[in-house]
Amino acid sequence: MEVVLALALGLAIGLSAAPVVRWLKRKAAVNPDDKSLRVPTVSAQLESAVDLLRAASFVAGPYDEVLHSNPQARTLGLVRGNRISLDALLEDVRQVRQDERARGTSLTVRREPGTPPLELAVRLSSVGDGMVLVIADDRSAQLRADEIKRDFVANVSHELKTPVGAIRVLAEAVERAADDPQAVARFSARMIVESERLSELVQQIIELSRLQSEDPLTASEVVEIDDVVSASVGYCRELANSRSVALTVAGTEDLQVVGDADQLTSAVVNLIQNAINYSDPGVRVAVSTRQVEDAGDRFVEISVADNGIGIRPEDLERIFERFYRVDYARSRSQGGTGLGLSIVKHTVAAHGGTVNVWSKVGQGSTFTLRLPALDGTHAAQAAAAEPPTEPGGTP
Protein backbone atom coordinates (compact mmCIF):
# COMPACT_ATOMS: atom_id res chain seq x y z
CA MET A 1 0.00 0.00 0.00
CA GLU A 2 2.85 2.38 0.79
CA VAL A 3 4.33 1.79 -2.64
CA VAL A 4 1.04 2.54 -4.39
CA LEU A 5 0.52 5.74 -2.40
CA ALA A 6 4.02 6.91 -3.11
CA LEU A 7 3.62 6.31 -6.86
CA ALA A 8 0.23 8.05 -6.93
CA LEU A 9 1.68 11.04 -5.13
CA GLY A 10 4.59 11.26 -7.54
CA LEU A 11 2.29 11.19 -10.57
CA ALA A 12 -0.17 13.65 -9.10
CA ILE A 13 2.40 16.37 -8.54
CA GLY A 14 3.96 15.82 -11.97
CA LEU A 15 7.37 14.67 -10.74
CA SER A 16 9.57 12.10 -12.47
CA ALA A 17 9.90 8.59 -11.13
CA ALA A 18 13.34 9.30 -9.66
CA PRO A 19 12.07 10.45 -6.21
CA VAL A 20 9.91 7.32 -5.97
CA VAL A 21 12.84 5.08 -6.83
CA ARG A 22 15.08 6.81 -4.28
CA TRP A 23 12.35 6.43 -1.68
CA LEU A 24 12.05 2.73 -2.45
CA LYS A 25 15.79 2.24 -2.17
CA ARG A 26 15.84 3.89 1.24
CA LYS A 27 12.91 1.74 2.42
CA ALA A 28 14.54 -1.39 0.98
CA ALA A 29 17.74 -0.61 2.87
CA VAL A 30 15.75 -0.48 6.11
CA ASN A 31 13.59 -3.55 5.24
CA PRO A 32 15.79 -5.81 3.07
CA ASP A 33 13.37 -8.77 3.38
CA ASP A 34 10.37 -6.90 1.96
CA LYS A 35 10.18 -8.03 -1.70
CA SER A 36 7.57 -5.37 -2.53
CA LEU A 37 10.22 -2.73 -1.97
CA ARG A 38 12.79 -4.30 -4.30
CA VAL A 39 13.92 -2.01 -7.13
CA PRO A 40 14.51 -4.00 -10.37
CA THR A 41 17.82 -3.67 -12.14
CA VAL A 42 18.73 -4.21 -15.79
CA SER A 43 21.00 -7.20 -16.33
CA ALA A 44 24.40 -6.65 -17.91
CA GLN A 45 23.34 -8.76 -20.91
CA LEU A 46 20.28 -6.61 -21.57
CA GLU A 47 22.33 -3.41 -21.22
CA SER A 48 24.84 -4.73 -23.75
CA ALA A 49 22.05 -5.68 -26.15
CA VAL A 50 20.47 -2.23 -25.91
CA ASP A 51 23.85 -0.56 -26.49
CA LEU A 52 24.51 -2.68 -29.58
CA LEU A 53 21.19 -1.90 -31.27
CA ARG A 54 21.31 0.60 -34.12
CA ALA A 55 17.75 1.69 -33.37
CA ALA A 56 16.90 4.02 -30.50
CA SER A 57 16.30 1.75 -27.49
CA PHE A 58 15.77 1.96 -23.74
CA VAL A 59 14.46 -0.03 -20.79
CA ALA A 60 11.67 1.50 -18.71
CA GLY A 61 11.23 0.45 -15.07
CA PRO A 62 8.03 -0.36 -13.21
CA TYR A 63 7.57 3.27 -12.15
CA ASP A 64 8.06 4.75 -15.65
CA GLU A 65 11.68 5.54 -14.91
CA VAL A 66 14.30 4.96 -17.61
CA LEU A 67 16.72 2.38 -16.25
CA HIS A 68 19.01 2.26 -19.29
CA SER A 69 19.11 3.86 -22.75
CA ASN A 70 21.45 3.99 -25.73
CA PRO A 71 22.76 7.23 -27.32
CA GLN A 72 20.28 7.03 -30.20
CA ALA A 73 17.32 7.21 -27.80
CA ARG A 74 18.77 10.30 -26.19
CA THR A 75 19.67 11.89 -29.53
CA LEU A 76 16.14 11.45 -30.89
CA GLY A 77 14.75 12.91 -27.69
CA LEU A 78 12.81 9.82 -26.62
CA VAL A 79 14.26 10.07 -23.13
CA ARG A 80 15.31 13.03 -21.03
CA GLY A 81 17.51 12.07 -18.14
CA ASN A 82 15.68 9.21 -16.43
CA ARG A 83 12.21 9.87 -17.81
CA ILE A 84 10.29 9.17 -21.01
CA SER A 85 9.81 12.48 -22.81
CA LEU A 86 6.92 11.55 -25.15
CA ASP A 87 3.47 11.22 -23.57
CA ALA A 88 2.21 8.86 -26.28
CA LEU A 89 5.21 6.57 -25.81
CA LEU A 90 4.75 6.64 -22.03
CA GLU A 91 1.15 5.49 -22.45
CA ASP A 92 2.30 2.61 -24.66
CA VAL A 93 4.88 1.56 -22.06
CA ARG A 94 2.22 1.50 -19.34
CA GLN A 95 -0.14 -0.52 -21.54
CA VAL A 96 2.50 -3.15 -22.31
CA ARG A 97 3.47 -3.36 -18.64
CA GLN A 98 -0.16 -3.91 -17.70
CA ASP A 99 -0.97 -6.44 -20.44
CA GLU A 100 2.48 -8.09 -20.45
CA ARG A 101 2.09 -8.46 -24.20
CA ALA A 102 4.41 -7.14 -26.92
CA ARG A 103 3.02 -4.55 -29.29
CA GLY A 104 4.09 -2.42 -32.23
CA THR A 105 3.01 1.09 -33.07
CA SER A 106 3.94 4.16 -35.11
CA LEU A 107 4.65 7.59 -33.71
CA THR A 108 5.00 10.95 -35.41
CA VAL A 109 7.10 13.37 -33.39
CA ARG A 110 6.62 17.01 -34.26
CA ARG A 111 9.68 19.18 -33.88
CA GLU A 112 10.51 22.86 -34.22
CA PRO A 113 9.03 24.71 -37.23
CA GLY A 114 10.93 24.12 -40.46
CA THR A 115 12.24 20.72 -39.30
CA PRO A 116 10.69 17.54 -40.74
CA PRO A 117 8.86 15.42 -38.13
CA LEU A 118 10.28 12.14 -36.91
CA GLU A 119 8.45 9.05 -38.11
CA LEU A 120 9.13 6.21 -35.68
CA ALA A 121 8.26 2.51 -35.88
CA VAL A 122 8.16 1.43 -32.23
CA ARG A 123 8.19 -2.07 -30.73
CA LEU A 124 7.62 -2.65 -27.03
CA SER A 125 7.94 -5.83 -24.98
CA SER A 126 7.74 -6.75 -21.31
CA VAL A 127 11.03 -8.19 -19.96
CA GLY A 128 9.89 -9.05 -16.45
CA ASP A 129 9.79 -7.32 -13.07
CA GLY A 130 7.63 -4.56 -14.53
CA MET A 131 10.34 -3.54 -16.99
CA VAL A 132 9.56 -2.77 -20.64
CA LEU A 133 12.03 -2.82 -23.53
CA VAL A 134 11.38 -0.13 -26.16
CA ILE A 135 12.97 -0.19 -29.64
CA ALA A 136 12.21 2.70 -32.01
CA ASP A 137 13.36 2.73 -35.64
CA ASP A 138 13.62 6.16 -37.27
CA ARG A 139 11.88 5.68 -40.64
CA SER A 140 11.84 9.38 -41.52
CA ALA A 141 14.46 9.13 -44.28
CA GLN A 142 12.80 6.06 -45.83
CA LEU A 143 9.37 7.68 -45.83
CA ARG A 144 10.79 10.87 -47.37
CA ALA A 145 12.51 8.76 -50.05
CA ASP A 146 9.22 7.01 -50.80
CA GLU A 147 7.52 10.40 -51.05
CA ILE A 148 10.21 11.63 -53.44
CA LYS A 149 9.70 8.53 -55.60
CA ARG A 150 5.97 9.12 -55.72
CA ASP A 151 6.53 12.75 -56.69
CA PHE A 152 9.01 11.66 -59.35
CA VAL A 153 6.52 9.24 -60.91
CA ALA A 154 3.82 11.91 -60.83
CA ASN A 155 6.15 14.47 -62.41
CA VAL A 156 7.29 12.04 -65.09
CA SER A 157 3.68 11.23 -65.95
CA HIS A 158 2.88 14.94 -66.24
CA GLU A 159 5.95 15.70 -68.35
CA LEU A 160 5.29 12.79 -70.70
CA LYS A 161 1.71 13.86 -71.29
CA THR A 162 2.77 17.15 -72.88
CA PRO A 163 4.77 15.85 -75.88
CA VAL A 164 2.56 12.77 -76.29
CA GLY A 165 -0.55 14.95 -76.35
CA ALA A 166 1.09 17.39 -78.75
CA ILE A 167 2.06 14.59 -81.13
CA ARG A 168 -1.51 13.28 -81.12
CA VAL A 169 -2.96 16.72 -81.84
CA LEU A 170 -0.45 17.31 -84.65
CA ALA A 171 -1.15 13.89 -86.15
CA GLU A 172 -4.85 14.73 -86.26
CA ALA A 173 -4.02 18.10 -87.84
CA VAL A 174 -1.95 16.37 -90.53
CA GLU A 175 -4.84 14.03 -91.25
CA ARG A 176 -7.27 16.92 -91.65
CA ALA A 177 -4.81 18.86 -93.85
CA ALA A 178 -4.09 16.01 -96.23
CA ASP A 179 -4.94 18.22 -99.22
CA ASP A 180 -2.70 21.09 -98.06
CA PRO A 181 0.98 20.21 -98.60
CA GLN A 182 2.24 23.33 -96.82
CA ALA A 183 0.15 22.63 -93.72
CA VAL A 184 1.25 19.00 -93.73
CA ALA A 185 4.92 20.10 -93.91
CA ARG A 186 4.41 22.59 -91.06
CA PHE A 187 2.62 20.12 -88.80
CA SER A 188 5.14 17.38 -89.61
CA ALA A 189 8.01 19.64 -88.59
CA ARG A 190 6.26 20.29 -85.27
CA MET A 191 5.77 16.56 -84.80
CA ILE A 192 9.49 16.01 -85.27
CA VAL A 193 10.25 18.65 -82.60
CA GLU A 194 7.84 17.08 -80.11
CA SER A 195 9.16 13.60 -80.90
CA GLU A 196 12.70 14.76 -80.19
CA ARG A 197 11.54 16.36 -76.94
CA LEU A 198 9.88 13.07 -75.93
CA SER A 199 12.94 11.05 -76.89
CA GLU A 200 15.24 13.34 -74.89
CA LEU A 201 12.95 13.20 -71.86
CA VAL A 202 12.82 9.39 -71.90
CA GLN A 203 16.58 9.19 -72.36
CA GLN A 204 17.22 11.53 -69.43
CA ILE A 205 14.81 9.62 -67.20
CA ILE A 206 16.72 6.43 -68.00
CA GLU A 207 20.05 8.15 -67.39
CA LEU A 208 18.91 9.63 -64.07
CA SER A 209 17.57 6.25 -62.91
CA ARG A 210 20.90 4.64 -63.71
CA LEU A 211 22.81 7.36 -61.87
CA GLN A 212 20.67 6.76 -58.78
CA SER A 213 21.38 3.02 -58.76
CA GLU A 214 23.75 1.41 -56.27
CA ASP A 215 26.62 1.25 -58.80
CA PRO A 216 26.27 4.12 -61.28
CA LEU A 217 29.86 3.81 -62.53
CA THR A 218 29.69 0.61 -64.53
CA ALA A 219 32.88 1.30 -66.49
CA SER A 220 35.58 3.37 -64.77
CA GLU A 221 38.60 4.36 -66.78
CA VAL A 222 41.13 7.15 -67.09
CA VAL A 223 39.28 10.09 -68.61
CA GLU A 224 41.00 12.90 -70.51
CA ILE A 225 39.28 16.13 -69.54
CA ASP A 226 40.37 17.70 -72.83
CA ASP A 227 38.34 15.06 -74.67
CA VAL A 228 35.29 15.62 -72.45
CA VAL A 229 35.36 19.38 -73.00
CA SER A 230 36.02 19.07 -76.74
CA ALA A 231 33.15 16.61 -77.23
CA SER A 232 30.78 18.72 -75.12
CA VAL A 233 31.55 21.95 -76.93
CA GLY A 234 31.28 20.24 -80.31
CA TYR A 235 27.86 18.88 -79.41
CA CYS A 236 26.63 22.35 -78.38
CA ARG A 237 28.29 24.36 -81.16
CA GLU A 238 25.26 24.32 -83.48
CA LEU A 239 22.92 25.45 -80.68
CA ALA A 240 25.32 28.27 -79.79
CA ASN A 241 25.53 29.43 -83.41
CA SER A 242 21.75 29.38 -83.78
CA ARG A 243 21.44 31.75 -80.82
CA SER A 244 24.48 33.91 -81.78
CA VAL A 245 26.30 32.85 -78.59
CA ALA A 246 30.11 32.86 -78.57
CA LEU A 247 31.37 29.55 -77.16
CA THR A 248 34.99 29.64 -75.91
CA VAL A 249 37.34 27.15 -74.25
CA ALA A 250 40.32 27.95 -72.02
CA GLY A 251 42.32 26.60 -69.10
CA THR A 252 44.79 23.89 -68.21
CA GLU A 253 45.34 21.04 -70.65
CA ASP A 254 46.17 17.35 -70.12
CA LEU A 255 44.11 16.94 -66.94
CA GLN A 256 42.85 13.47 -66.05
CA VAL A 257 40.29 11.89 -63.72
CA VAL A 258 38.95 8.38 -63.21
CA GLY A 259 35.34 7.80 -64.20
CA ASP A 260 32.94 7.41 -67.08
CA ALA A 261 33.72 9.70 -70.03
CA ASP A 262 30.19 9.52 -71.47
CA GLN A 263 28.60 10.48 -68.15
CA LEU A 264 30.97 13.41 -67.63
CA THR A 265 30.41 14.59 -71.19
CA SER A 266 26.65 14.46 -70.65
CA ALA A 267 27.01 16.55 -67.47
CA VAL A 268 29.10 19.23 -69.19
CA VAL A 269 26.73 19.28 -72.18
CA ASN A 270 23.80 19.92 -69.84
CA LEU A 271 25.63 22.86 -68.26
CA ILE A 272 26.58 24.39 -71.62
CA GLN A 273 23.06 23.96 -73.01
CA ASN A 274 21.59 25.63 -69.93
CA ALA A 275 24.05 28.50 -70.23
CA ILE A 276 23.07 29.03 -73.88
CA ASN A 277 19.33 28.65 -73.36
CA TYR A 278 19.21 30.99 -70.38
CA SER A 279 21.26 33.72 -72.05
CA ASP A 280 20.22 36.38 -74.50
CA PRO A 281 21.59 36.31 -78.06
CA GLY A 282 25.06 37.79 -78.49
CA VAL A 283 26.48 36.81 -75.10
CA ARG A 284 29.51 34.63 -74.35
CA VAL A 285 29.66 31.19 -72.72
CA ALA A 286 33.11 30.14 -71.50
CA VAL A 287 34.22 26.62 -70.59
CA SER A 288 37.43 26.47 -68.55
CA THR A 289 39.47 23.82 -66.76
CA ARG A 290 42.08 23.95 -64.05
CA GLN A 291 43.72 21.87 -61.34
CA VAL A 292 43.43 22.95 -57.70
CA GLU A 293 44.72 21.65 -54.38
CA ASP A 294 42.62 21.57 -51.23
CA ALA A 295 43.81 20.19 -47.88
CA GLY A 296 46.56 18.24 -49.63
CA ASP A 297 44.23 16.67 -52.22
CA ARG A 298 44.26 17.51 -55.93
CA PHE A 299 41.09 18.21 -57.88
CA VAL A 300 40.15 19.00 -61.47
CA GLU A 301 37.62 21.79 -61.92
CA ILE A 302 35.46 22.27 -65.02
CA SER A 303 33.62 25.60 -65.07
CA VAL A 304 30.88 26.81 -67.39
CA ALA A 305 30.31 30.56 -67.11
CA ASP A 306 27.85 32.86 -68.86
CA ASN A 307 26.80 36.49 -68.62
CA GLY A 308 23.13 35.70 -69.05
CA ILE A 309 20.01 36.38 -67.00
CA GLY A 310 21.31 34.85 -63.76
CA ILE A 311 19.45 32.95 -61.06
CA ARG A 312 17.51 34.43 -58.14
CA PRO A 313 18.80 33.54 -54.63
CA GLU A 314 15.53 31.76 -53.75
CA ASP A 315 15.95 29.50 -56.79
CA LEU A 316 19.57 28.54 -56.13
CA GLU A 317 18.62 26.05 -53.42
CA ARG A 318 16.24 24.18 -55.73
CA ILE A 319 17.85 24.22 -59.16
CA PHE A 320 19.22 20.67 -58.78
CA GLU A 321 15.78 19.22 -58.00
CA ARG A 322 14.21 17.02 -60.66
CA PHE A 323 11.83 18.91 -62.98
CA TYR A 324 12.47 22.23 -61.21
CA ARG A 325 12.73 25.10 -63.68
CA VAL A 326 13.81 28.65 -62.90
CA ASP A 327 11.80 29.94 -65.89
CA TYR A 328 9.25 27.31 -66.94
CA ALA A 329 8.09 29.11 -70.09
CA ARG A 330 11.63 29.70 -71.31
CA SER A 331 12.66 26.13 -70.52
CA ARG A 332 9.71 24.70 -72.45
CA SER A 333 10.29 26.96 -75.43
CA GLN A 334 13.94 25.85 -75.59
CA GLY A 335 13.06 22.16 -75.23
CA GLY A 336 14.28 21.78 -71.65
CA THR A 337 13.16 18.76 -69.61
CA GLY A 338 13.96 20.00 -66.11
CA LEU A 339 16.26 17.01 -65.49
CA GLY A 340 19.59 18.36 -66.75
CA LEU A 341 20.95 19.80 -63.50
CA SER A 342 19.71 16.82 -61.51
CA ILE A 343 21.72 14.58 -63.84
CA VAL A 344 24.74 16.84 -63.35
CA LYS A 345 24.46 16.58 -59.56
CA HIS A 346 24.16 12.79 -59.52
CA THR A 347 26.94 12.34 -62.10
CA VAL A 348 29.40 14.40 -60.09
CA ALA A 349 28.40 12.66 -56.84
CA ALA A 350 28.98 9.25 -58.48
CA HIS A 351 32.51 10.41 -59.34
CA GLY A 352 33.21 11.51 -55.77
CA GLY A 353 33.02 15.20 -56.63
CA THR A 354 30.90 18.27 -55.99
CA VAL A 355 29.10 20.90 -58.05
CA ASN A 356 28.94 24.54 -57.00
CA VAL A 357 27.15 27.51 -58.52
CA TRP A 358 27.63 31.25 -58.33
CA SER A 359 24.98 33.46 -59.84
CA LYS A 360 23.69 36.99 -59.76
CA VAL A 361 20.57 38.23 -61.50
CA GLY A 362 21.47 40.28 -64.55
CA GLN A 363 25.17 39.33 -64.44
CA GLY A 364 25.20 35.61 -65.20
CA SER A 365 26.05 32.28 -63.63
CA THR A 366 29.05 30.01 -63.18
CA PHE A 367 28.71 26.28 -62.54
CA THR A 368 31.84 24.47 -61.38
CA LEU A 369 32.35 20.70 -61.30
CA ARG A 370 35.11 19.59 -58.93
CA LEU A 371 36.38 16.03 -59.45
CA PRO A 372 39.21 14.11 -57.74
CA ALA A 373 42.29 14.35 -59.95
CA LEU A 374 44.04 11.23 -61.18
CA ASP A 375 46.81 10.11 -58.82
CA GLY A 376 49.06 7.07 -58.59
CA THR A 377 46.45 4.94 -56.81
CA HIS A 378 43.76 5.78 -59.34
CA ALA A 379 46.11 5.08 -62.23
CA ALA A 380 47.00 1.65 -60.83
CA GLN A 381 43.34 0.78 -60.30
CA ALA A 382 42.43 1.87 -63.82
CA ALA A 383 45.30 -0.13 -65.31
CA ALA A 384 44.27 -3.22 -63.35
CA ALA A 385 40.70 -2.86 -64.61
CA GLU A 386 41.75 -2.90 -68.27
CA PRO A 387 41.88 -6.31 -70.00
CA PRO A 388 45.37 -7.60 -70.82
CA THR A 389 46.56 -7.02 -74.37
CA GLU A 390 48.19 -9.75 -76.41
CA PRO A 391 51.14 -8.97 -78.68
CA GLY A 392 49.80 -7.26 -81.76
CA GLY A 393 47.15 -5.32 -79.86
CA THR A 394 44.47 -8.04 -79.53
CA PRO A 395 42.79 -8.19 -76.06
Side-chain angles (χ1 to χ4, degrees), residues 389-395:
T389 302
E390 298 292 340
T394 303

Side-chain angles (χ1 to χ4, degrees), residues 220-236:
S220 294
E221 59 183 358
V222 176
V223 178
E224 300 287 344
I225 296 300
D226 290 346
D227 295 341
V228 170
V229 172
S230 177
S232 302
V233 171
Y235 186 87
C236 299

Side-chain angles (χ1 to χ4, degrees), residues 89-137:
L89 188 56
L90 178 58
E91 290 299 321
D92 289 330
V93 168
R94 291 172 177 171
Q95 190 66 48
V96 169
R97 184 189 300 120
Q98 177 181 331
D99 299 341
E100 294 187 347
R101 294 177 58 185
R103 66 178 300 183
T105 186
S106 298
L107 288 179
T108 299
V109 182
R110 303 292 176 184
R111 299 189 287 180
E112 60 271 14
T115 304
L118 287 176
E119 302 291 345
L120 304 176
V122 185
R123 300 180 300 280
L124 306 94
S125 179
S126 174
V127 290
D129 291 333
M131 294 186 293
V132 176
L133 173 63
V134 180
I135 302 175
D137 286 309

Side-chain angles (χ1 to χ4, degrees), residues 159 197 200-201 204 270 273-274 277-278 323 325 327-340:
E159 293 293 332
R197 185 196 301 273
E200 181 182 5
L201 177 58
Q204 290 197 335
N270 277 311
Q273 287 179 334
N274 272 4
N277 289 333
Y278 283 90
F323 297 111
R325 295 178 174 91
D327 185 338
Y328 187 87
R330 186 164 190 155
S331 175
R332 293 293 301 176
S333 66
Q334 300 299 330
T337 64
L339 291 175

Side-chain angles (χ1 to χ4, degrees), residues 173-189:
V174 168
E175 185 179 21
R176 289 193 301 268
D179 297 331
D180 187 348
Q182 292 184 347
V184 169
R186 184 170 67 255
F187 293 141
S188 298

